[in-house]
Amino acid sequence: MVDDRTIPAASQTVNDFDGGPRGPKPQRAFSRKNVFLYGTLLMVTIYYAIPLYVMIVTSLKGLPEIRLGNIFAPPVEITFEPWVKAWAEACTGLNCNGLSGYFWNSVKITIPSVILSIIIASVNGYALANWRFKGANLFFAILIFGAFIPYQVMLYPIVIMLRELGLYGDLSGLVIVHTIFGMPILTLLFRNYFASLPEELFKAARVDGAGFWGIYFRVLLPMSLPIFTVAVILQVTGIWNDFLFGVVYTGPESYPMTVALNNIVNTTQGVTEYNVNMAATIITALVPLTIYFVSGKLFVRGIAAGAVKG
Amino acid sequence: MASKRPNQLFRNMNAKVSAIPMIVTALFVFVGGTAWTIVYSFTKSGLLPRMKWIGLDQYERLWGTKRWLIAIENLAIYGLSMLVLVFVIGFILAALIDQKIRFENTVRTVILYPYAMSFVVTGLVWQWILNPEFGVQNIMRGLGWQSFTFDPLYNAEIAIFGVLIAGLWQGSGLVMVLMLAGLRGIDQEVWKASRVDGIPAWKTYIFIVIPMMRPVFITTLVLVVTGIVKVFDLIVAQTGGGPGIATEVPAKYVYDMMFRNNNLGQGFAASTMMLVTVAIIVVPWAILEFGGKKNNG
Amino acid sequence: MESSITIRDLELSFGAVEVLKNLNLDIGQGEFLVLLGSSGCGKSTLLNCIAGLLDVTDGQIFIQGRNVTWEEPSDRGIGMVFQSYALYPQMTVEGNLSFGLKNAGFSKSEIAERIDRAAKVLQIEPLLKRKPGALSGGQRQRVAIGRALVRDVDVFLFDEPLSNLDAKLRTDLRAEIKELHKRLRNTMIYVTHDQIEAMTLADRIAIMRDGKILQLASPKEIYNRPASKYVAEFIGSPSMNFFDGKIGENGQSFACDAGTFSLNGYQFGEGGAQDGTAWLGIRPEHIAVGTEAKTMPIQLEASVQHVEPLGSDTLVRVLIGDRRLWVRIDGQSEVADGDALNIGFDPAMANIFDKTSETRL
């Protein structure tokens, strides 16, 4: 009874407020906040983009134009000669075959390193997540803490180990080094991923009679494509961009691209060809940049994985 | 009865076998390698490692070398500035991007792309942009400001800041992404509550949001610090340690001693000092983070 | 009754934490046993031990007379259904059903025949080519049951299979599981925290707490003669009402602040009558009101504090002095806050628990 009386009374009151604000609150597109926000972001974005722009522009100019003009100015006359030269003719010391050979060195280093490190880390992460055994967590903890040890501490012992194995100065030695140093982050990545999958799935597979490898290949692998993609992105960019291990564990013939690039640009002989240098720089950055722009969110997930707690 | 008694050693055999690479790496490379280097830092190793014990001589010589002292000073200046600026820039950018802006993906992509590039590439690009003959200084002078001087890579006094500019450009995107993830991970009801209570946004950030993001800050801090201590390629590519020895850093000192100057003992001692530096940061963090809850590790 | 599963002196500890304590259990051939308890009581752990998914610390497990304590889960002759369905997302329904049979090395024709049979029983034939992602919750759980069904085993284990479903589906699927059991007549062990599922499905219920079985009996027995105060409170909603008082005159009367009740008609357990402090419990549905209350041996004056109409019946919270009681009355009764209400009950329907041991007297 009480309710029946209040409802018409309420609608009466609402009618009294005709003419007041109604509907969505008006928003100004150019509020002070928005001008500040977008203005700042625009400037920041330009600042971050400039180096890439300068690289590209410089690599497309002739040397005389560079000497006269300004590094931000777009090229008056576009030339691809610096690119050709960087790829095929630029000199590192006495060797003047450009970056091409070193590009293939990097490919030969990166592909097996990525495959090997991901196989080892994914199986290991799976064992840690689903088949806990005594001592597993201790070794895993050492592995994770090992990731914080400065590489410099382990550089020379590894030199000795590779020398004993006859792999020092060889591409395959570098592959082993990349597999070792990729292991902490990748194992963490895979362990956390497999641990996040419902445990009941694993139990169901055991009731269904699948063993260690059966569960890995038939049940888990098919549902883990995203995490493998993240791992590939992480490893390809990391290994391609490596300089330290390349310069320590390979010889002049087997240098990866980053080492060769540094040698080309920072060589003190002759005239410095800035356009060729920048072309070489872009060529070296091309693989990780392509991966970055194509992979988008997965790249972010890969680097965020480094911040995930164990 | 029908079932066979499972032997403890062979149980989970597949799991144990697949953990062998991890066990070998953990024990022989990480623990063994580190111990080996520390032990040999007390020896008179030169071209080759030699087990001739000389106590703390290498360390005394290290701390008496001007190049090492400059390297440490540079690491301190670069490290502290990097740490403060990368956090300030990274957090502010993340907070701006978190304002439900349009073109979020574009902005994020542009700010993060430097992180996809190697330090070598970063160093070389900024070497070019900061080149006084052609780069920023030249342009400002061309615009009529004849006395404008900005040549960090040619001025020993400020050379390390030239490296800092490049390092910030390369690394701030990473911090931004981690901070943004942290901001997004915070319960949106916190923002609703502070709006209802009429608390200004900046106060909400400082007094509520940032304290809630403590775990993100700590993990980012650990990542950034270990990255700073390892800085090597950037220096080699951008300045080569120069002008003179103005931008030397410990990692480069270690490399040069071990592989160029045939002075392994110095390299071992210097790298052990780097390890100590990292341990000072990482060990307290580890105790704080994992010490209290051993059982679920 | 021949026993299908026998558990002897089972112990399980994780480090210093004892999860299952010296547990013994016999489950008959074709029996439907429900393990019931609140979370953390060890019921799922016990099921996982039976399945072989957890290694026991001590004790033995026999299934169909065979000691399976050290056997792999797939060799124990069990099928298992999980709460989250645990279907392999990348395989079709058919693939999910055949995965275990393929691992066990069955021939193609045998596999096809078994899938066919199970699909008919569960009416999932049209779904065979679909992937789990394209199924509804109820369909997924049916496939999960199918996965146990094709194994053609004597023992089915259910780990809270209906908890992820909404209320309506849960009721439907519950009935289907009961039907399935009637039809297959194999042993089923069913873990749940839902007392309605337990009461409706079980031949016997095992109520667990802190890794021990408190009472193992038929649903009716557990409802009517709970072995302890904990069981009495756990079963029934709203919970049993308790009077705090004292037994006197060699078990002839019970004195509390609401008065002294004659215990004429109450059946004491094996221990017989004992004087001393005790709880007297009576279920809300065993309390009569109004004229009916006048016929009861024990009668009390109460006032209505609060009324909760549920439709089929109405729950009334009444006050006797400052003691609160829940009373369940007919849904059509007119009762309002503040009304005076006569209530009464028969001591034959009550349960009395010792104050210190909390066991039924």
Side-chain angles (χ1 to χ4, degrees):
Chain A
M1 283 313 280
V2 180
D3 294 348
D4 293 336
R5 254 177 285 125
T6 42
I7 290 165
S11 51
Q12 208 97 55
T13 0
V14 169
N15 287 335
D16 293 344
F17 283 94
D18 267 354
R22 185 192 167 113
K25 200 158 130 186
Q27 305 255 326
R28 278 187 308 146
F30 292 96
S31 65
R32 243 173 51 206
K33 184 194 162 191
N34 274 353
V35 170
F36 169 76
L37 182 66
Y38 286 99
T40 313
L41 285 174
L42 185 68
M43 272 154 50
V44 168
T45 315
I46 290 173
Y47 176 79
Y48 278 83
I50 274 178
L52 185 61
Y53 167 80
V54 168
M55 259 196 283
I56 295 170
V57 174
T58 307
S59 75
L60 296 174
K61 289 178 189 170
L63 262 189
E65 198 188 325
I66 292 176
R67 291 217 183 82
L68 293 173
N70 136 4
I71 60 167
F72 298 114
V76 179
E77 206 176 318
I78 293 181
T79 166
F80 289 100
E81 195 159 329
W83 285 68
V84 176
K85 209 166 172 195
W87 179 253
E89 293 162 34
C91 297
T92 59
L94 297 175
N95 177 351
C96 286
N97 291 326
L99 274 174
S100 53
Y102 302 104
F103 173 83
W104 292 113
N105 278 350
S106 275
V107 171
K108 278 185 252 171
I109 293 162
T110 306
I111 290 177
S113 304
V114 170
I115 293 174
L116 190 64
S117 61
I118 289 179
I119 290 175
I120 289 178
S122 65
V123 176
N124 189 27
Y126 158 66
L128 288 171
N130 291 319
W131 299 84
R132 282 157 231 144
F133 57 89
K134 249 195 185 143
N137 279 333
L138 174 70
F139 293 120
F140 182 62
I142 297 176
L143 190 75
I144 295 302
F145 275 100
F148 292 113
I149 301 174
Y151 296 144
Q152 280 73 16
V153 178
M154 292 171 284
L155 280 184
Y156 205 82
I158 294 178
V159 168
I160 296 175
M161 279 159 47
L162 290 180
R163 205 181 273 147
E164 292 296 316
L165 294 168
L167 298 174
Y168 184 48
D170 194 77
L171 288 182
S172 47
L174 188 54
V175 169
I176 294 177
V177 172
H178 280 307
T179 305
I180 287 174
F181 287 105
M183 208 181 287
I185 181 71
L186 286 186
T187 304
L188 181 72
L189 183 76
F190 280 107
R191 189 195 81 132
N192 287 355
Y193 178 78
F194 289 131
S196 75
L197 296 177
E199 206 194 348
E200 293 192 337
L201 204 62
F202 173 76
K203 289 182 177 176
R206 285 193 65 195
V207 173
D208 271 341
F212 185 86
W213 296 111
I215 293 175
Y216 178 76
F217 283 111
R218 308 278 303 282
V219 179
L220 297 184
L221 214 54
M223 57 192 293
S224 306
L225 193 65
I227 206 70
F228 275 88
T229 316
V230 167
V232 168
I233 293 167
L234 197 69
Q235 283 299 83
V236 172
T237 42
I239 293 169
W240 192 274
N241 286 341
D242 162 68
F243 177 82
L244 178 64
F245 297 139
V247 77
V248 171
Y249 298 112
T250 57
E253 284 304 305
S254 51
Y255 275 155
M257 210 175 180
T258 44
V259 179
L261 170 71
N262 184 52
N263 290 348
I264 287 177
V265 176
N266 284 324
T267 191
T268 41
Q269 298 141 328
V271 189
T272 317
E273 293 179 293
Y274 299 108
N275 49 359
V276 176
N277 288 352
M278 282 303 116
T281 310
I282 300 177
I283 294 173
T284 310
L286 221 47
V287 167
L289 272 187
T290 309
I291 288 180
Y292 173 72
F293 285 115
V294 171
S295 66
K297 281 222 165 81
L298 287 174
F299 181 90
V300 175
R301 222 177 124 188
I303 59 169
V308 176
K309 284 183 289 172
Chain B
M1 290 172 115
S3 49
K4 49 203 178 319
R5 159 125 202 129
N7 183 314
Q8 280 304 308
L9 188 67
F10 293 113
R11 288 200 59 229
N12 271 347
M13 201 55 205
N14 283 314
K16 285 172 186 168
V17 169
S18 50
I20 286 175
M22 169 181 77
I23 296 171
V24 169
T25 299
L27 288 187
F28 289 93
V29 182
F30 290 173
V31 175
T34 304
W36 189 93
T37 298
I38 294 173
V39 169
Y40 273 85
S41 72
F42 298 106
T43 67
K44 200 177 166 188
S45 301
L47 174 63
L48 291 171
R50 271 203 307 160
M51 200 58 219
K52 184 151 188 285
W53 201 262
I54 53 167
L56 289 171
D57 271 18
Q58 295 286 10
Y59 290 92
E60 271 170 36
R61 208 167 342 138
L62 183 69
W63 288 101
T65 307
K66 190 175 176 221
R67 196 170 153 198
W68 171 256
L69 294 175
I70 288 182
I72 289 287
E73 189 191 58
N74 277 337
L75 186 65
I77 297 171
Y78 173 82
L80 283 179
S81 328
M82 181 79 180
L83 201 60
V84 172
L85 291 175
V86 92
F87 267 93
V88 171
I89 294 171
F91 186 82
I92 291 177
L93 288 179
L96 291 179
I97 291 175
D98 197 32
Q99 304 301 312
K100 299 195 180 76
I101 59 159
R102 298 165 84 186
F103 315 115
E104 182 191 315
N105 269 331
T106 316
V107 173
R108 224 177 38 190
T109 306
V110 173
I111 293 176
L112 187 60
Y113 88 90
Y115 189 72
M117 303 215 271
S118 59
F119 277 119
V120 176
V121 168
T122 304
L124 295 179
V125 176
W126 283 94
Q127 184 191 61
W128 175 233
I129 293 176
L130 297 176
N131 183 321
E133 261 182 85
F134 303 101
V136 176
Q137 176 176 309
N138 176 47
I139 288 162
M140 296 305 278
R141 287 187 181 173
L143 290 173
W145 187 353
Q146 285 303 328
S147 61
F148 182 84
T149 315
F150 188 65
D151 57 346
L153 302 187
Y154 289 80
N155 180 346
E157 294 286 307
I158 55 169
I160 194 68
F161 295 104
V163 180
L164 181 68
I165 292 174
L168 278 175
W169 175 76
Q170 207 257 4
S172 43
L174 168 75
V175 178
M176 179 273 290
V177 165
L178 296 175
M179 292 291 148
L180 189 58
L183 285 172
R184 298 265 155 94
I186 281 178
D187 193 346
Q188 285 306 303
E189 300 203 335
V190 168
W191 284 105
K192 289 180 191 166
S194 80
R195 257 183 86 182
V196 171
D197 288 345
I199 301 167
W202 66 270
K203 265 192 180 172
T204 313
Y205 272 117
I206 292 178
F207 294 111
I208 301 167
V209 173
I210 291 179
M212 284 175 81
M213 282 170 62
R214 190 182 148 272
V216 180
F217 270 90
I218 290 176
T219 37
T220 311
L221 179 78
V222 172
L223 278 185
V224 170
V225 168
T226 48
I228 287 171
V229 177
K230 285 174 185 169
V231 65
F232 171 71
D233 345 11
L234 183 62
I235 303 279
V236 171
Q238 199 179 358
T239 69
I245 51 169
T247 52
E248 286 292 336
V249 284
K252 186 165 175 296
Y253 184 88
V254 171
Y255 173 79
D256 287 344
M257 285 301 152
M258 281 186 190
F259 299 100
R260 295 210 164 154
N261 299 7
N262 297 329
N263 195 343
L264 286 177
Q266 274 296 288
F268 296 150
S271 57
T272 305
M273 292 316 303
M274 288 176 71
L275 177 65
V276 170
T277 317
V278 172
I280 287 171
I281 311 282
V282 171
V283 170
W285 164 73
I287 291 172
L288 224 77
E289 206 70 6
F290 304 109
K293 37 172 186 176
K294 263 208 173 98
N295 45 347
N296 66 5
Chain C
M1 191 161 51
E2 200 191 330
S3 134
S4 164
I5 297 176
T6 303
I7 291 162
R8 285 280 160 270
D9 310 323
L10 191 71
E11 304 245 358
L12 181 76
S13 334
F14 296 129
V17 188
E18 278 193 307
V19 187
L20 298 177
K21 296 164 191 162
N22 195 20
L23 209 135
N24 286 286
L25 184 61
D26 277 289
I27 303 166
Q29 206 67 251
E31 181 174 1
F32 199 123
L33 180 88
V34 172
L35 299 175
L36 177 67
S38 50
S39 62
C41 70
K43 56 190 192 298
S44 274
T45 312
L46 175 58
L47 195 75
N48 277 299
C49 286
I50 297 172
L53 294 167
L54 279 175
D55 281 345
V56 304
T57 310
D58 200 1
Q60 293 173 309
I61 299 168
F62 298 83
I63 295 179
Q64 303 301 119
R66 203 158 55 92
N67 185 337
V68 297
T69 315
W70 293 332
E71 296 268 7
E72 279 297 302
S74 50
D75 301 331
R76 294 187 176 208
I78 52 144
M80 191 157 176
V81 180
F82 298 92
Q83 176 178 357
S84 66
Y85 326 125
L87 298 179
Y88 312 120
Q90 73 281 1
M91 299 181 195
T92 60
V93 168
E94 199 170 9
N96 269 281
L97 296 179
S98 63
F99 185 60
L101 300 177
K102 278 186 193 152
N103 281 322
F106 281 96
S107 72
K108 271 210 168 109
S109 55
E110 171 79 18
I111 292 174
E113 197 196 303
R114 287 199 188 187
I115 290 179
D116 205 42
R117 218 183 320 145
K120 271 207 188 87
V121 171
L122 295 165
Q123 295 163 355
I124 50 171
E125 290 148 303
L127 310 177
L128 284 178
K129 299 287 174 213
R130 288 208 218 156
K131 292 205 171 163
L135 304 181
S136 70
Q139 289 170 330
R140 282 182 213 188
Q141 199 50 293
R142 231 171 268 189
V143 175
I145 295 172
R147 194 164 52 181
L149 207 58
V150 292
R151 295 176 61 81
D152 219 357
V153 287
D154 304 310
V155 177
F156 274 23
L157 307 176
F158 293 89
D159 194 355
E160 307 224 18
L162 305 182
S163 298
N164 280 9
L165 300 172
D166 61 49
K168 166 94 174 61
L169 259 174
R170 210 180 302 165
T171 319
D172 293 349
L173 224 66
R174 196 173 71 205
E176 276 184 48
I177 291 175
K178 185 91 187 164
E179 279 302 311
L180 194 69
H181 180 242
K182 267 194 219 159
R183 191 158 158 181
L184 301 173
R185 276 286 144 210
N186 52 5
T187 311
M188 293 189 176
I189 307 181
Y190 187 107
V191 165
T192 183
H193 61 267
D194 181 325
Q195 47 166 307
I196 300 181
E197 274 174 33
M199 299 295 279
T200 49
L201 288 171
D203 293 328
R204 279 194 302 168
I205 297 175
I207 297 204
M208 293 186 64
R209 187 191 190 188
D210 294 335
K212 278 188 272 196
I213 294 176
L214 296 184
Q215 188 171 10
L216 173 64
S218 69
K220 224 175 186 170
E221 171 84 5
I222 283 191
Y223 178 78
N224 288 330
R225 295 169 69 91
S228 67
K229 183 164 178 268
Y230 177 83
V231 175
E233 280 179 305
F234 193 81
I235 295 286
S237 172
S239 217
M240 191 182 270
N241 302 298
F242 288 101
F243 293 93
D244 176 354
K246 229 176 183 166
I247 305 175
E249 305 170 50
N250 292 322
Q252 291 300 303
S253 68
F254 180 86
C256 63
D257 52 8
T260 301
F261 311 144
S262 153
L263 291 183
N264 194 13
Y266 180 80
Q267 292 197 328
F268 280 97
E270 284 160 21
Q274 256 177 333
D275 287 358
T277 52
W279 300 99
L280 183 143
I282 182 78
R283 294 200 180 277
E285 47 275 37
H286 295 151
I287 298 178
V289 297
T291 49
E292 205 189 332
K294 300 279 187 212
T295 66
M296 290 294 171
I298 297 168
Q299 296 179 17
L300 296 162
E301 300 268 318
S303 65
V304 175
Q305 187 190 23
H306 175 75
V307 181
E308 289 183 3
L310 299 179
S312 58
D313 36 43
T314 295
L315 297 177
V316 185
R317 192 156 79 180
V318 301
L319 283 176
I320 300 172
D322 54 3
R323 177 173 302 281
R324 290 170 181 167
L325 298 185
W326 279 109
V327 180
R328 190 191 292 274
I329 62 174
D330 186 78
Q332 304 307 319
S333 321
E334 294 284 340
V335 193
D337 292 4
D339 287 358
L341 197 63
N342 291 321
I343 63 171
F345 62 89
D346 183 350
M349 303 303 287
N351 283 286
I352 299 175
F353 305 96
D354 182 78
K355 194 86 181 256
T356 42
S357 68
E358 298 206 341
T359 51
R360 189 178 187 278
L361 294 172

